[in-house]
């Protein structure tokens, strides 16, 4: 019998107030998990708490910057004391800065790397001891197609997500013997607040050029939605994936498999 149940599990979703993080947390909650999330600003934490309440989900929110190791350690200690050992970590918190490389300040590059790559390292490092002690754990890193592909203006983001792909594989390699599975989800282009500027209609009512580009490059002929990530997240968080480790599951509508249409 395949077991997708998460009953009694404690799931921490970083940056889980909205968008992809909220959708994944909702899926984990519907499978039975207790939800904890964090954000780096109090107004975002409050927004997340309202979103979960509206969904009928009891969730605990923390004000915590994933790049602050002391703050992350304190958060994990509080979760363990008040709710239980973190069984599932979803490293979702991240940012993107779309700036041509020659125009990008080094500080901006470092900020993206710090949040998108160093943050997952800090959070995973903090939960792994509890997982080892418990004898089981699931870590899900939110990668990207930019873990595999490059594109103009996303040098920092692609560097961070490529690094996160390899961190995923290294956690698998280092801690698989402790029955810890570390995998990743690589979303394609998902319709969220973050990508909204790329989908805005032009003054003449036509599609944004990038929107048209993505549709033409995706066999599914559409942008993904956060709900498309719910099933994969439950799979990777559950016992159904106990022998899946170090894997990057791309949820991209087929874009990575597709060379594109031949020009007419």
């Amino acid at each position: 019998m395949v077991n997708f149940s998460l009953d009694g599990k404690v799931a921490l979703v970083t940056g889980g107030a909205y968008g992809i993080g909220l959708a994944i947390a909702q899926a984990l909650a519907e499978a039975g998990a207790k939800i904890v999330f964090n954000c780096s600003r109090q107004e975002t934490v409050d927004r997340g708490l309202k979103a979960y309440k509206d969904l009928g989900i009891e969730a605990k929110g923390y004000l915590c910057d994933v790049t602050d190791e002391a703050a992350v350690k304190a958060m994990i200690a509080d979760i363990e004391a008040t709710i239980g050992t973190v069984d599932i970590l979803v490293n979702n918190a991240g940012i993107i800065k779309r700036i041509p490389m020659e125009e990008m300040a080094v500080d901006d590059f470092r900020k993206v790397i710090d949040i998108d790559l160093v943050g997952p390292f800090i959070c995973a490092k903090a939960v792994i001891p509890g997982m080892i002690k418990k004898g089981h754990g699931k870590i899900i890193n939110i990668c990207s197609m930019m873990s595999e592909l490059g594109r103009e203006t996303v040098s920092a983001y692609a560097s961070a997500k490529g690094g996160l792909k390899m961190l995923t594989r290294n956690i698998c390699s280092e801690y698989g013997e402790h029955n810890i599975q570390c995998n990743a989800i690589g979303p394609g282009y998902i319709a969220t607040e973050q990508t909204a500027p790329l989908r805005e209609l032009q003054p003449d009512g036509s599609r944004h050029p990038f929107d048209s580009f993505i549709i033409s490059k995706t066999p599914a002929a559409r942008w993904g939605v956060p709900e498309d990530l719910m099933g994969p997240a439950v799979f990777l968080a559950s016992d159904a994936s106990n022998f899946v480790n170090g894997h990057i599951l791309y949820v991209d509508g087929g874009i990575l498999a597709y060379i594109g249409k031949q020009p007419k």
Side-chain angles (χ1 to χ4, degrees):
M1 180 71 179
V2 178
N3 186 8
F4 292 98
S5 172
L6 301 178
D7 285 345
K9 303 292 186 181
V10 177
L12 168 60
V13 182
T14 69
Y18 59 91
I20 288 173
L22 178 63
I24 287 175
Q26 179 185 352
L28 301 182
E30 290 174 354
K34 301 172 185 177
I35 302 300
V36 183
F37 73 98
N38 77 286
C39 296
S40 59
R41 296 183 299 169
Q42 186 61 50
E43 56 265 38
T44 313
V45 174
D46 294 340
R47 174 184 175 181
L49 290 171
K50 182 182 184 303
Y52 287 107
K53 184 177 180 180
D54 290 345
L55 290 167
I57 297 169
E58 184 177 341
K60 185 168 184 178
Y62 285 85
L63 177 63
C64 179
D65 182 344
V66 296
T67 69
D68 183 337
E69 185 172 14
V72 170
K73 284 183 176 179
M75 176 178 67
I76 299 304
D78 191 77
I79 293 169
E80 290 178 345
T82 60
I83 304 173
T85 301
V86 174
D87 300 287
I88 303 158
L89 168 65
V90 182
N91 277 315
N92 168 73
I95 63 169
I96 188 170
K97 290 182 179 289
R98 298 183 181 92
I99 305 170
M101 184 173 167
E102 75 274 14
E103 298 173 14
M104 190 173 210
V106 173
D107 284 348
D108 283 336
F109 187 93
R110 286 187 174 130
K111 185 173 183 180
V112 175
I113 298 295
D114 210 24
I115 294 172
D116 292 11
L117 179 56
V118 180
F121 167 80
I122 289 172
C123 292
K125 180 183 175 185
V127 301
I128 283 171
M131 291 179 173
I132 292 174
K133 186 175 181 180
K134 196 167 186 177
H136 187 46
K138 300 282 188 174
I139 298 173
I140 303 171
N141 294 324
I142 304 303
C143 286
S144 165
M145 290 190 307
M146 296 301 108
S147 301
E148 300 289 343
L149 301 172
R151 189 175 66 76
E152 63 278 5
T153 78
V154 294
S155 58
Y157 185 76
S159 298
K161 293 300 185 179
L164 187 57
K165 174 183 70 175
M166 293 312 301
L167 179 63
T168 300
R169 291 173 175 169
N170 203 81
I171 292 172
C172 155
S173 302
E174 199 161 349
Y175 297 102
E177 66 180 310
H178 297 286
N179 197 26
I180 294 172
Q181 290 84 50
C182 182
N183 295 290
I185 295 174
Y189 284 91
I190 307 296
T192 64
E193 289 181 19
Q194 193 178 62
T195 59
L198 303 175
R199 292 177 282 107
E200 290 179 350
L201 290 178
Q202 301 302 285
D204 64 359
S206 63
R207 285 181 181 271
H208 188 291
F210 191 82
D211 186 9
S212 297
F213 167 71
I214 292 304
I215 296 299
S216 71
K217 290 292 185 180
T218 307
R222 66 172 177 88
W223 287 68
V225 293
E227 291 74 15
D228 288 320
L229 304 170
M230 296 171 80
V234 170
F235 167 65
L236 291 178
S238 72
D239 288 345
S241 62
N242 280 351
F243 204 57
V244 179
N245 211 352
H247 179 70
I248 292 78
L249 175 55
Y250 290 101
V251 185
D252 64 355
I255 194 169
L256 282 173
Y258 187 45
I259 197 171
K261 293 182 179 179
Q262 180 178 332
K264 294 181 180 179

